[in-house]
Amino acid sequence: MNRHDLALGAGAGLLSAAAGLAAGHLVAALIGPAASPVLAVGSAVIDRTPTPLKQWAVETLGNADKPVLLGSVLAGTLLLAALGGVVARRTFPVGAGVVLVLVAVAGWAALSRAAARPVDVIPAIVTAAVALGALRWLSPDATGPREVVDGMGRRRLLMRAGVIAGGALVAGTAGQWLVARVQDVKNIALPRARRPLGPLPRGLESRYRGVTRFQTPNEDFYRVDVNLTVPIVDHDSWTLRIDGMVDRPYELTFAELLDLPMIECDITMCCVSNEVGGPYLGGARWLGVRVSDLLARAGVRPGADQILSTATDGFTISTPLSAAQDGRDMIVAVGMNGEALPREHGFPARLVTPGLYGYVGSTKWLTRMTVTTYRDRSAYWTDRDWATDGPIKIASRIDTPAALKSVDAGRIVVAGVAWAPGRGIAAVEVRVDDGPWQEAQFGPDAGVDYWRQWYLLWDADSGRHTLTVRARTPDGEVQTDDREPPFPDGSSGLQQIVVIVR
Protein backbone atom coordinates (compact mmCIF):
# COMPACT_ATOMS: atom_id res chain seq x y z
CA MET A 1 0.00 0.00 0.00
CA ASN A 2 1.48 3.33 -1.06
CA ARG A 3 1.56 6.54 0.98
CA HIS A 4 -1.45 7.90 -0.89
CA ASP A 5 -3.57 4.89 0.07
CA LEU A 6 -2.35 5.08 3.67
CA ALA A 7 -3.43 8.70 3.91
CA LEU A 8 -6.81 7.99 2.35
CA GLY A 9 -7.41 5.04 4.65
CA ALA A 10 -6.37 6.90 7.80
CA GLY A 11 -8.52 9.87 6.82
CA ALA A 12 -11.52 7.64 6.18
CA GLY A 13 -11.05 5.95 9.56
CA LEU A 14 -10.79 9.27 11.38
CA LEU A 15 -13.83 10.77 9.67
CA SER A 16 -15.91 7.66 10.21
CA ALA A 17 -15.02 7.51 13.90
CA ALA A 18 -15.75 11.21 14.34
CA ALA A 19 -19.15 10.82 12.71
CA GLY A 20 -19.99 7.77 14.80
CA LEU A 21 -18.89 9.37 18.07
CA ALA A 22 -20.83 12.56 17.30
CA ALA A 23 -23.99 10.60 16.54
CA GLY A 24 -23.56 8.53 19.69
CA HIS A 25 -23.03 11.68 21.74
CA LEU A 26 -26.23 13.21 20.32
CA VAL A 27 -28.26 10.11 21.22
CA ALA A 28 -26.68 10.01 24.68
CA ALA A 29 -27.71 13.63 25.24
CA LEU A 30 -31.29 12.49 24.83
CA ILE A 31 -31.20 9.35 27.02
CA GLY A 32 -28.31 9.96 29.43
CA PRO A 33 -25.07 11.94 28.80
CA ALA A 34 -22.93 9.49 30.81
CA ALA A 35 -23.59 6.82 28.13
CA SER A 36 -21.78 8.87 25.47
CA PRO A 37 -19.03 6.51 24.18
CA VAL A 38 -15.98 8.63 25.04
CA LEU A 39 -17.43 9.61 28.43
CA ALA A 40 -18.33 6.01 29.25
CA VAL A 41 -14.82 4.78 28.45
CA GLY A 42 -13.30 7.67 30.38
CA SER A 43 -15.40 6.85 33.44
CA ALA A 44 -14.34 3.21 33.24
CA VAL A 45 -10.71 4.33 33.12
CA ILE A 46 -11.22 6.49 36.23
CA ASP A 47 -12.83 3.65 38.17
CA ARG A 48 -9.95 1.33 37.37
CA THR A 49 -7.08 3.77 37.84
CA PRO A 50 -4.86 3.02 40.87
CA THR A 51 -5.24 5.50 43.74
CA PRO A 52 -1.66 6.87 43.55
CA LEU A 53 -2.11 7.66 39.86
CA LYS A 54 -5.43 9.41 40.54
CA GLN A 55 -3.82 11.50 43.24
CA TRP A 56 -0.94 12.39 40.94
CA ALA A 57 -3.41 13.55 38.27
CA VAL A 58 -5.26 15.81 40.73
CA GLU A 59 -2.03 17.27 42.12
CA THR A 60 -0.35 17.73 38.72
CA LEU A 61 -3.24 18.65 36.45
CA GLY A 62 -5.69 20.25 38.89
CA ASN A 63 -9.02 21.09 37.22
CA ALA A 64 -7.56 20.00 33.87
CA ASP A 65 -7.45 16.32 34.90
CA LYS A 66 -10.80 15.46 33.33
CA PRO A 67 -10.21 17.29 30.01
CA VAL A 68 -6.78 15.64 29.75
CA LEU A 69 -8.31 12.21 30.36
CA LEU A 70 -11.08 12.78 27.83
CA GLY A 71 -8.59 14.11 25.31
CA SER A 72 -6.39 11.05 25.80
CA VAL A 73 -9.32 8.65 25.35
CA LEU A 74 -10.48 10.51 22.25
CA ALA A 75 -6.96 10.62 20.79
CA GLY A 76 -6.46 6.90 21.38
CA THR A 77 -9.83 6.10 19.84
CA LEU A 78 -9.14 8.18 16.73
CA LEU A 79 -5.67 6.69 16.35
CA LEU A 80 -7.06 3.15 16.40
CA ALA A 81 -9.88 4.23 14.08
CA ALA A 82 -7.29 5.57 11.63
CA LEU A 83 -5.58 2.18 11.77
CA GLY A 84 -8.92 0.52 11.08
CA GLY A 85 -9.41 2.80 8.09
CA VAL A 86 -6.03 1.87 6.68
CA VAL A 87 -6.82 -1.84 7.03
CA ALA A 88 -10.29 -1.33 5.54
CA ARG A 89 -8.66 0.26 2.50
CA ARG A 90 -7.28 -3.18 1.67
CA THR A 91 -9.70 -5.56 3.44
CA PHE A 92 -12.92 -3.93 4.54
CA PRO A 93 -14.21 -6.68 6.88
CA VAL A 94 -11.01 -6.63 8.93
CA GLY A 95 -10.99 -2.84 9.16
CA ALA A 96 -14.65 -2.87 10.15
CA GLY A 97 -13.76 -5.38 12.84
CA VAL A 98 -11.32 -2.89 14.37
CA VAL A 99 -14.10 -0.30 14.54
CA LEU A 100 -16.51 -2.81 16.06
CA VAL A 101 -13.99 -3.70 18.79
CA LEU A 102 -13.66 -0.01 19.71
CA VAL A 103 -17.43 0.40 19.86
CA ALA A 104 -17.81 -2.82 21.86
CA VAL A 105 -15.46 -1.39 24.49
CA ALA A 106 -17.62 1.74 24.68
CA GLY A 107 -20.78 -0.34 25.02
CA TRP A 108 -19.22 -2.46 27.77
CA ALA A 109 -18.09 0.70 29.59
CA ALA A 110 -21.59 2.19 29.42
CA LEU A 111 -23.21 -0.97 30.80
CA SER A 112 -20.58 -1.55 33.51
CA ARG A 113 -21.50 1.61 35.41
CA ALA A 114 -23.21 1.06 38.75
CA ALA A 115 -26.41 2.82 37.66
CA ALA A 116 -26.42 1.56 34.06
CA ARG A 117 -29.69 0.83 32.27
CA PRO A 118 -30.18 -1.39 29.21
CA VAL A 119 -30.87 1.69 27.05
CA ASP A 120 -27.38 3.02 27.83
CA VAL A 121 -25.95 0.70 25.18
CA ILE A 122 -27.94 2.48 22.44
CA PRO A 123 -25.38 5.29 21.90
CA ALA A 124 -22.69 2.64 21.27
CA ILE A 125 -24.96 0.86 18.78
CA VAL A 126 -25.67 4.13 16.96
CA THR A 127 -21.94 4.91 16.98
CA ALA A 128 -21.19 1.54 15.37
CA ALA A 129 -23.87 1.91 12.71
CA VAL A 130 -22.86 5.42 11.69
CA ALA A 131 -19.11 4.74 11.82
CA LEU A 132 -19.37 1.55 9.73
CA GLY A 133 -21.73 3.21 7.27
CA ALA A 134 -19.40 6.16 6.82
CA LEU A 135 -16.35 3.91 6.50
CA ARG A 136 -18.10 1.83 3.86
CA TRP A 137 -19.17 4.95 1.97
CA LEU A 138 -15.55 6.08 1.83
CA SER A 139 -14.13 2.67 0.90
CA PRO A 140 -12.62 2.04 -2.57
CA ASP A 141 -15.55 -0.12 -3.69
CA ALA A 142 -17.94 2.76 -2.99
CA THR A 143 -15.84 5.62 -4.41
CA GLY A 144 -14.37 3.76 -7.35
CA PRO A 145 -11.31 1.56 -7.95
CA ARG A 146 -8.09 2.48 -6.18
CA GLU A 147 -6.54 3.21 -9.53
CA VAL A 148 -9.08 5.99 -10.23
CA VAL A 149 -7.23 9.30 -10.01
CA ASP A 150 -9.32 11.40 -12.35
CA GLY A 151 -11.14 14.48 -11.17
CA MET A 152 -14.53 12.74 -10.98
CA GLY A 153 -13.27 10.07 -8.49
CA ARG A 154 -11.53 12.61 -6.32
CA ARG A 155 -14.50 14.96 -6.34
CA ARG A 156 -16.80 12.11 -5.31
CA LEU A 157 -14.53 11.18 -2.43
CA LEU A 158 -14.16 14.79 -1.26
CA MET A 159 -17.90 15.36 -1.49
CA ARG A 160 -18.63 12.34 0.68
CA ALA A 161 -15.92 13.27 3.15
CA GLY A 162 -17.41 16.76 3.38
CA VAL A 163 -20.92 15.40 3.99
CA ILE A 164 -19.64 13.11 6.75
CA ALA A 165 -17.57 15.88 8.37
CA GLY A 166 -20.49 18.29 8.25
CA GLY A 167 -22.86 15.73 9.72
CA ALA A 168 -20.39 14.99 12.52
CA LEU A 169 -20.08 18.69 13.31
CA VAL A 170 -23.86 19.19 13.41
CA ALA A 171 -24.50 16.09 15.53
CA GLY A 172 -21.70 16.86 17.98
CA THR A 173 -22.76 20.49 18.37
CA ALA A 174 -26.40 19.53 18.84
CA GLY A 175 -25.44 16.99 21.49
CA GLN A 176 -23.42 19.54 23.45
CA TRP A 177 -26.22 22.09 23.18
CA LEU A 178 -28.76 19.63 24.54
CA VAL A 179 -26.48 18.68 27.46
CA ALA A 180 -25.82 22.32 28.34
CA ARG A 181 -29.52 23.16 28.08
CA VAL A 182 -30.65 20.55 30.59
CA GLN A 183 -27.84 21.40 33.02
CA ASP A 184 -29.41 24.73 33.94
CA VAL A 185 -31.48 24.60 37.12
CA LYS A 186 -34.44 26.94 36.73
CA ASN A 187 -37.71 27.75 38.46
CA ILE A 188 -36.89 26.01 41.73
CA ALA A 189 -38.50 27.91 44.60
CA LEU A 190 -36.64 27.16 47.83
CA PRO A 191 -38.34 27.43 51.23
CA ARG A 192 -37.08 29.77 53.95
CA ALA A 193 -35.04 28.45 56.81
CA ARG A 194 -36.83 28.05 60.12
CA ARG A 195 -34.41 30.60 61.62
CA PRO A 196 -32.78 32.50 58.74
CA LEU A 197 -29.24 33.69 59.32
CA GLY A 198 -28.32 37.32 58.88
CA PRO A 199 -26.30 38.35 55.81
CA LEU A 200 -22.66 37.31 55.84
CA PRO A 201 -20.43 40.31 56.65
CA ARG A 202 -18.12 41.87 54.11
CA GLY A 203 -14.80 40.11 53.99
CA LEU A 204 -11.23 41.38 53.86
CA GLU A 205 -11.31 41.17 50.07
CA SER A 206 -13.07 44.53 50.14
CA ARG A 207 -9.93 46.06 51.71
CA TYR A 208 -7.02 43.93 50.52
CA ARG A 209 -6.66 42.76 46.95
CA GLY A 210 -5.79 39.11 46.50
CA VAL A 211 -7.51 37.74 49.61
CA THR A 212 -9.86 34.80 49.05
CA ARG A 213 -13.49 35.95 49.04
CA PHE A 214 -15.24 35.36 52.35
CA GLN A 215 -18.18 33.71 50.57
CA THR A 216 -17.27 31.64 47.54
CA PRO A 217 -19.62 32.27 44.57
CA ASN A 218 -21.27 29.11 43.26
CA GLU A 219 -19.53 29.40 39.91
CA ASP A 220 -16.12 29.60 41.60
CA PHE A 221 -16.65 26.81 44.13
CA TYR A 222 -14.19 23.98 43.64
CA ARG A 223 -15.38 20.72 42.14
CA VAL A 224 -13.58 17.40 42.62
CA ASP A 225 -15.42 14.17 41.77
CA VAL A 226 -15.13 11.14 39.49
CA ASN A 227 -17.83 12.30 37.05
CA LEU A 228 -16.81 13.22 33.52
CA THR A 229 -20.30 14.56 32.89
CA VAL A 230 -22.72 16.10 35.34
CA PRO A 231 -25.62 13.75 36.22
CA ILE A 232 -28.92 15.15 34.98
CA VAL A 233 -31.56 14.39 37.60
CA ASP A 234 -35.26 15.11 37.17
CA HIS A 235 -36.32 16.54 40.52
CA ASP A 236 -39.98 15.72 39.85
CA SER A 237 -39.25 11.98 39.78
CA TRP A 238 -36.30 12.03 42.22
CA THR A 239 -36.66 10.39 45.62
CA LEU A 240 -34.49 10.07 48.72
CA ARG A 241 -34.68 6.71 50.45
CA ILE A 242 -33.61 6.15 54.07
CA ASP A 243 -33.21 2.45 54.87
CA GLY A 244 -30.88 -0.17 56.34
CA MET A 245 -30.68 -0.68 60.10
CA VAL A 246 -33.79 1.36 60.83
CA ASP A 247 -37.23 0.53 62.17
CA ARG A 248 -39.20 2.57 59.64
CA PRO A 249 -37.56 2.87 56.20
CA TYR A 250 -39.19 5.47 53.98
CA GLU A 251 -38.84 7.62 50.86
CA LEU A 252 -39.22 11.34 50.27
CA THR A 253 -39.99 13.15 47.04
CA PHE A 254 -38.28 16.45 46.35
CA ALA A 255 -41.47 18.35 47.22
CA GLU A 256 -41.76 16.44 50.50
CA LEU A 257 -38.14 17.17 51.34
CA LEU A 258 -38.71 20.90 50.77
CA ASP A 259 -41.69 20.79 53.14
CA LEU A 260 -39.51 19.67 56.06
CA PRO A 261 -38.00 22.18 58.53
CA MET A 262 -34.94 23.80 56.94
CA ILE A 263 -31.82 25.30 58.50
CA GLU A 264 -29.13 27.56 57.11
CA CYS A 265 -25.47 26.77 57.80
CA ASP A 266 -22.24 28.59 56.95
CA ILE A 267 -19.81 25.76 56.22
CA THR A 268 -16.37 25.58 54.68
CA MET A 269 -15.77 22.43 52.66
CA CYS A 270 -12.37 20.97 51.77
CA CYS A 271 -11.24 18.15 49.50
CA VAL A 272 -8.89 15.53 50.91
CA SER A 273 -6.78 15.92 47.75
CA ASN A 274 -5.92 19.48 48.71
CA GLU A 275 -2.17 19.96 49.05
CA VAL A 276 -0.76 22.34 51.67
CA GLY A 277 -1.73 25.81 50.43
CA GLY A 278 -3.95 24.27 47.74
CA PRO A 279 -7.16 25.60 46.12
CA TYR A 280 -9.66 22.83 46.79
CA LEU A 281 -11.79 24.46 49.45
CA GLY A 282 -14.60 27.00 49.62
CA GLY A 283 -17.02 28.66 52.00
CA ALA A 284 -20.75 28.83 51.30
CA ARG A 285 -24.14 29.22 52.96
CA TRP A 286 -26.11 25.99 52.69
CA LEU A 287 -29.85 25.39 53.10
CA GLY A 288 -31.08 21.93 54.04
CA VAL A 289 -32.64 19.42 56.40
CA ARG A 290 -30.76 17.99 59.36
CA VAL A 291 -29.76 14.40 58.79
CA SER A 292 -30.44 13.74 62.47
CA ASP A 293 -34.12 14.65 61.90
CA LEU A 294 -34.35 12.28 58.93
CA LEU A 295 -32.77 9.45 60.91
CA ALA A 296 -34.97 10.07 63.95
CA ARG A 297 -38.04 9.58 61.77
CA ALA A 298 -36.60 6.26 60.55
CA GLY A 299 -35.54 5.05 64.01
CA VAL A 300 -31.89 3.92 63.99
CA ARG A 301 -31.29 0.47 65.44
CA PRO A 302 -28.48 -0.29 67.92
CA GLY A 303 -25.15 -1.46 66.50
CA ALA A 304 -25.07 0.79 63.42
CA ASP A 305 -21.98 2.95 62.92
CA GLN A 306 -22.11 4.09 59.29
CA ILE A 307 -24.30 5.99 56.85
CA LEU A 308 -23.66 4.61 53.37
CA SER A 309 -24.96 7.26 50.98
CA THR A 310 -25.54 6.59 47.30
CA ALA A 311 -25.66 9.00 44.37
CA THR A 312 -28.01 8.65 41.42
CA ASP A 313 -25.16 7.20 39.33
CA GLY A 314 -24.39 4.51 41.92
CA PHE A 315 -21.37 6.24 43.48
CA THR A 316 -21.12 5.63 47.24
CA ILE A 317 -19.66 7.45 50.25
CA SER A 318 -19.39 6.20 53.83
CA THR A 319 -19.92 8.65 56.70
CA PRO A 320 -19.58 7.91 60.43
CA LEU A 321 -23.06 7.71 61.94
CA SER A 322 -21.73 9.75 64.84
CA ALA A 323 -21.43 12.78 62.53
CA ALA A 324 -25.23 12.89 62.34
CA GLN A 325 -25.68 12.39 66.09
CA ASP A 326 -23.07 14.60 67.78
CA GLY A 327 -24.85 17.93 67.31
CA ARG A 328 -23.05 19.24 64.23
CA ASP A 329 -25.11 20.60 61.33
CA MET A 330 -24.88 17.63 58.97
CA ILE A 331 -27.56 18.31 56.38
CA VAL A 332 -29.16 17.13 53.19
CA ALA A 333 -28.65 20.39 51.33
CA VAL A 334 -30.97 21.72 48.65
CA GLY A 335 -29.66 25.30 48.47
CA MET A 336 -26.27 26.96 48.07
CA ASN A 337 -25.69 30.68 48.58
CA GLY A 338 -29.37 31.52 48.26
CA GLU A 339 -29.99 29.45 45.12
CA ALA A 340 -30.96 25.90 44.30
CA LEU A 341 -27.92 23.65 44.10
CA PRO A 342 -26.20 23.93 40.73
CA ARG A 343 -26.18 20.59 38.92
CA GLU A 344 -22.39 20.35 39.15
CA HIS A 345 -22.69 20.65 42.93
CA GLY A 346 -25.31 17.97 43.42
CA PHE A 347 -28.80 19.08 42.36
CA PRO A 348 -31.38 18.23 43.56
CA ALA A 349 -29.83 17.28 46.93
CA ARG A 350 -26.45 16.50 48.47
CA LEU A 351 -24.89 15.81 51.83
CA VAL A 352 -22.84 18.50 53.55
CA THR A 353 -21.01 17.50 56.73
CA PRO A 354 -18.96 20.13 58.58
CA GLY A 355 -15.58 18.92 59.79
CA LEU A 356 -15.23 16.02 57.34
CA TYR A 357 -13.44 15.96 53.99
CA GLY A 358 -15.76 15.72 51.01
CA TYR A 359 -14.92 12.10 50.22
CA VAL A 360 -16.44 11.11 53.58
CA GLY A 361 -19.32 13.51 54.13
CA SER A 362 -20.45 15.23 50.93
CA THR A 363 -22.29 12.92 48.56
CA LYS A 364 -23.59 14.84 45.55
CA TRP A 365 -26.71 13.85 43.55
CA LEU A 366 -27.86 12.02 46.67
CA THR A 367 -30.66 9.46 46.36
CA ARG A 368 -30.22 7.02 49.24
CA MET A 369 -28.91 6.85 52.80
CA THR A 370 -28.46 3.37 54.21
CA VAL A 371 -27.75 2.98 57.93
CA THR A 372 -25.31 0.10 58.27
CA THR A 373 -21.90 -0.89 59.68
CA TYR A 374 -18.38 -0.53 58.37
CA ARG A 375 -17.97 -4.27 58.77
CA ASP A 376 -20.84 -5.02 56.38
CA ARG A 377 -20.52 -2.30 53.74
CA SER A 378 -17.75 -0.22 52.19
CA ALA A 379 -17.76 2.74 49.81
CA TYR A 380 -15.93 3.91 46.68
CA TRP A 381 -13.02 5.72 48.33
CA THR A 382 -12.57 3.41 51.30
CA ASP A 383 -12.34 0.54 48.81
CA ARG A 384 -9.39 2.45 47.38
CA ASP A 385 -7.59 2.61 50.75
CA TRP A 386 -8.41 6.18 51.78
CA ALA A 387 -8.91 6.64 55.53
CA THR A 388 -12.31 5.75 56.95
CA ASP A 389 -13.22 8.80 59.06
CA GLY A 390 -11.64 11.77 57.24
CA PRO A 391 -11.72 14.65 59.75
CA ILE A 392 -10.48 17.91 58.21
CA LYS A 393 -7.08 18.87 59.58
CA ILE A 394 -6.32 22.37 60.86
CA ALA A 395 -4.75 24.32 57.99
CA SER A 396 -3.90 27.81 56.75
CA ARG A 397 -2.96 29.41 53.46
CA ILE A 398 -1.25 32.58 52.25
CA ASP A 399 -3.23 34.24 49.43
CA THR A 400 -1.24 37.43 49.07
CA PRO A 401 1.50 38.18 48.18
CA ALA A 402 1.79 35.42 45.62
CA ALA A 403 4.75 33.07 45.77
CA LEU A 404 7.87 34.39 44.00
CA LYS A 405 6.18 37.72 43.37
CA SER A 406 8.33 40.85 43.35
CA VAL A 407 6.99 43.64 45.58
CA ASP A 408 8.22 47.06 46.60
CA ALA A 409 9.87 47.52 49.97
CA GLY A 410 7.74 49.08 52.70
CA ARG A 411 4.48 48.09 54.32
CA ILE A 412 3.04 44.97 52.69
CA VAL A 413 -0.20 43.15 53.46
CA VAL A 414 0.27 39.43 54.05
CA ALA A 415 -3.18 37.78 54.11
CA GLY A 416 -5.02 34.55 53.58
CA VAL A 417 -7.44 32.08 55.15
CA ALA A 418 -7.31 29.44 57.89
CA TRP A 419 -9.78 26.66 58.64
CA ALA A 420 -10.61 23.89 61.08
CA PRO A 421 -14.35 23.21 60.56
CA GLY A 422 -16.05 21.95 63.70
CA ARG A 423 -13.45 23.51 65.99
CA GLY A 424 -12.77 26.99 64.63
CA ILE A 425 -9.61 29.08 64.48
CA ALA A 426 -8.36 30.94 67.57
CA ALA A 427 -5.14 32.43 66.17
CA VAL A 428 -3.03 32.69 63.03
CA GLU A 429 0.68 33.48 63.14
CA VAL A 430 3.13 34.47 60.43
CA ARG A 431 6.91 34.14 60.49
CA VAL A 432 9.29 36.09 58.27
CA ASP A 433 12.43 34.08 57.51
CA ASP A 434 13.71 32.68 60.85
CA GLY A 435 12.24 35.50 62.93
CA PRO A 436 9.63 35.25 65.69
CA TRP A 437 6.04 34.25 65.08
CA GLN A 438 3.79 37.33 64.72
CA GLU A 439 0.07 37.14 65.43
CA ALA A 440 -2.16 38.13 62.53
CA GLN A 441 -5.46 40.02 62.72
CA PHE A 442 -8.77 38.41 61.79
CA GLY A 443 -11.50 39.34 59.36
CA PRO A 444 -15.19 38.62 60.11
CA ASP A 445 -16.38 35.55 62.01
CA ALA A 446 -19.14 33.25 60.69
CA GLY A 447 -18.82 30.43 63.23
CA VAL A 448 -16.61 27.45 63.97
CA ASP A 449 -17.58 25.61 60.76
CA TYR A 450 -16.41 28.49 58.57
CA TRP A 451 -12.95 29.63 57.58
CA ARG A 452 -11.34 32.80 58.93
CA GLN A 453 -9.68 35.46 56.84
CA TRP A 454 -6.52 36.88 58.40
CA TYR A 455 -3.97 39.58 57.64
CA LEU A 456 -0.63 40.93 58.88
CA LEU A 457 0.95 44.28 58.01
CA TRP A 458 4.64 43.60 57.31
CA ASP A 459 7.34 46.27 57.02
CA ALA A 460 9.42 44.55 54.37
CA ASP A 461 13.10 45.21 53.69
CA SER A 462 14.71 44.61 50.31
CA GLY A 463 15.85 41.08 49.61
CA ARG A 464 14.57 37.53 49.30
CA HIS A 465 12.25 36.52 52.18
CA THR A 466 10.42 33.37 53.23
CA LEU A 467 6.93 33.71 54.73
CA THR A 468 5.42 30.87 56.80
CA VAL A 469 1.92 30.66 58.26
CA ARG A 470 0.34 28.46 60.93
CA ALA A 471 -3.01 28.36 62.75
CA ARG A 472 -4.26 27.33 66.18
CA THR A 473 -7.65 26.03 67.31
CA PRO A 474 -9.49 27.18 70.47
CA ASP A 475 -8.56 23.91 72.20
CA GLY A 476 -4.87 24.73 71.79
CA GLU A 477 -3.91 22.50 68.85
CA VAL A 478 -1.25 24.15 66.70
CA GLN A 479 -1.01 23.33 63.02
CA THR A 480 1.78 20.79 62.63
CA ASP A 481 4.89 21.36 60.57
CA ASP A 482 5.13 17.62 59.77
CA ARG A 483 4.75 17.42 56.01
CA GLU A 484 2.42 14.66 54.79
CA PRO A 485 0.83 14.09 51.35
CA PRO A 486 -2.96 14.01 50.89
CA PHE A 487 -3.16 10.20 50.73
CA PRO A 488 -4.61 8.56 52.79
CA ASP A 489 -6.14 11.08 55.24
CA GLY A 490 -5.33 14.61 54.06
CA SER A 491 -2.18 16.69 53.73
CA SER A 492 -0.42 18.40 56.61
CA GLY A 493 2.46 20.85 57.06
CA LEU A 494 3.01 24.60 57.01
CA GLN A 495 2.82 26.64 53.85
CA GLN A 496 5.95 28.62 53.02
CA ILE A 497 6.34 31.04 50.14
CA VAL A 498 9.28 33.06 48.89
CA VAL A 499 8.78 36.77 48.15
CA ILE A 500 11.25 39.06 46.38
CA VAL A 501 11.26 42.58 47.90
CA ARG A 502 12.77 45.27 45.67
Side-chain angles (χ1 to χ4, degrees):
M1 185 179 291
N2 58 38
R3 293 167 62 182
H4 180 67
D5 269 353
L6 284 173
L8 287 176
L14 287 172
L15 270 178
S16 301
L21 291 172
H25 186 64
L26 175 58
V27 172
L30 298 172
I31 67 174
S36 181
V38 172
L39 295 176
V41 173
S43 295
V45 170
I46 287 178
D47 287 343
R48 290 156 182 80
T49 298
T51 296
L53 186 55
K54 281 184 181 177
Q55 185 59 29
W56 173 87
V58 172
E59 294 171 4
T60 306
L61 303 174
N63 291 329
D65 60 340
K66 291 182 176 66
V68 168
L69 172 61
L70 286 176
S72 300
V73 171
L74 182 60
T77 300
L78 293 178
L79 181 62
L80 291 174
L83 175 62
V86 170
V87 175
R89 191 77 183 164
R90 182 176 294 277
T91 308
F92 183 82
V94 177
V98 174
V99 175
L100 284 175
V101 169
L102 290 174
V103 177
V105 171
W108 164 83
L111 291 177
S112 67
R113 296 178 302 114
R117 306 159 299 166
V119 296
D120 288 340
V121 76
I122 293 177
I125 295 174
V126 171
T127 297
V130 172
L132 289 177
L135 186 62
R136 185 64 183 171
W137 206 34
L138 295 174
S139 67
D141 291 342
T143 58
R146 291 188 189 88
E147 293 78 12
V148 173
V149 294
D150 59 70
M152 179 63 71
R154 290 183 178 180
R155 282 197 297 272
R156 185 183 299 117
L157 181 61
L158 289 174
M159 178 199 70
R160 293 182 178 182
V163 170
I164 292 171
L169 180 62
V170 170
T173 301
Q176 280 299 96
W177 179 81
L178 285 172
V179 170
R181 189 165 179 259
V182 298
Q183 283 181 351
D184 289 338
V185 177
K186 298 178 179 178
N187 303 321
I188 302 296
L190 295 178
R192 285 176 56 84
R194 187 170 42 189
R195 295 186 182 88
L197 298 177
L200 280 168
R202 295 181 65 188
L204 293 178
E205 69 271 16
S206 62
R207 293 162 53 190
Y208 304 120
R209 181 178 299 177
V211 183
T212 294
R213 295 182 66 170
F214 192 50
Q215 183 178 21
T216 309
N218 291 355
E219 62 272 16
D220 295 336
F221 208 92
Y222 79 94
R223 178 190 165 201
V224 177
D225 51 52
V226 299
N227 299 76
L228 292 176
T229 184
V230 176
I232 306 300
V233 183
D234 177 17
H235 65 279
D236 289 327
S237 60
W238 173 90
T239 60
L240 173 62
R241 178 165 180 79
I242 291 87
D243 60 10
M245 296 175 64
V246 297
D247 296 324
R248 299 173 295 277
Y250 64 96
E251 285 189 356
L252 291 169
T253 66
F254 188 62
E256 290 170 337
L257 180 65
L258 294 187
D259 282 340
L260 297 177
M262 295 274 165
I263 64 170
E264 284 185 327
C265 314
D266 295 325
I267 298 172
T268 291
M269 293 178 55
C270 182
C271 179
V272 72
S273 297
N274 205 39
E275 290 281 0
V276 172
Y280 299 128
L281 74 158
R285 174 163 290 179
W286 307 90
L287 175 72
V289 177
R290 291 184 187 273
V291 173
S292 58
D293 292 345
L294 297 173
L295 295 182
R297 174 176 170 180
V300 176
R301 295 174 182 169
D305 60 10
Q306 177 194 185
I307 300 172
L308 184 75
S309 52
T310 305
T312 56
D313 60 0
F315 179 82
T316 55
I317 277 179
S318 58
T319 308
L321 178 61
S322 58
Q325 298 176 327
D326 61 8
R328 77 180 79 189
D329 289 330
M330 180 182 182
I331 61 172
V332 173
V334 296
M336 180 179 183
N337 290 332
E339 302 174 356
L341 288 173
R343 289 200 186 273
E344 60 267 26
H345 291 295
F347 179 84
R350 66 172 296 167
L351 282 181
V352 176
T353 308
L356 296 181
Y357 288 117
Y359 83 101
V360 171
S362 297
T363 311
K364 292 185 281 190
W365 311 292
L366 178 69
T367 191
R368 185 177 185 182
M369 292 193 296
T370 301
V371 180
T372 181
T373 66
Y374 285 105
R375 183 183 62 185
D376 292 338
R377 301 286 297 274
S378 59
Y380 184 93
W381 289 117
T382 46
D383 284 341
R384 286 155 178 79
D385 298 324
W386 287 85
T388 300
D389 292 338
I392 297 177
K393 297 178 181 179
I394 176 176
S396 55
R397 185 179 72 194
I398 299 172
D399 293 332
T400 184
L404 299 178
K405 182 179 180 180
S406 295
V407 296
D408 293 330
R411 178 152 290 192
I412 295 172
V413 175
V414 182
V417 289
W419 60 97
R423 291 178 290 168
I425 297 294
V428 173
E429 297 174 312
V430 178
R431 184 174 63 195
V432 180
D433 299 324
D434 295 323
W437 288 100
Q438 304 176 57
E439 187 161 340
Q441 301 298 309
F442 280 135
D445 184 1
V448 297
D449 293 331
Y450 212 65
W451 55 14
R452 293 300 299 270
Q453 294 175 319
W454 58 265
Y455 69 99
L456 177 76
L457 300 180
W458 169 40
D459 293 320
D461 298 326
S462 298
R464 179 187 177 97
H465 297 283
T466 299
L467 302 178
T468 309
V469 63
R470 71 181 184 188
R472 185 176 74 246
T473 60
D475 59 8
E477 180 185 353
V478 178
Q479 184 179 346
T480 181
D481 60 0
D482 292 336
R483 196 82 175 198
E484 295 291 344
F487 182 79
D489 61 352
S491 65
S492 68
L494 305 183
Q495 186 188 18
Q496 291 185 325
I497 67 167
V498 173
V499 179
I500 309 302
V501 181
R502 296 187 291 263

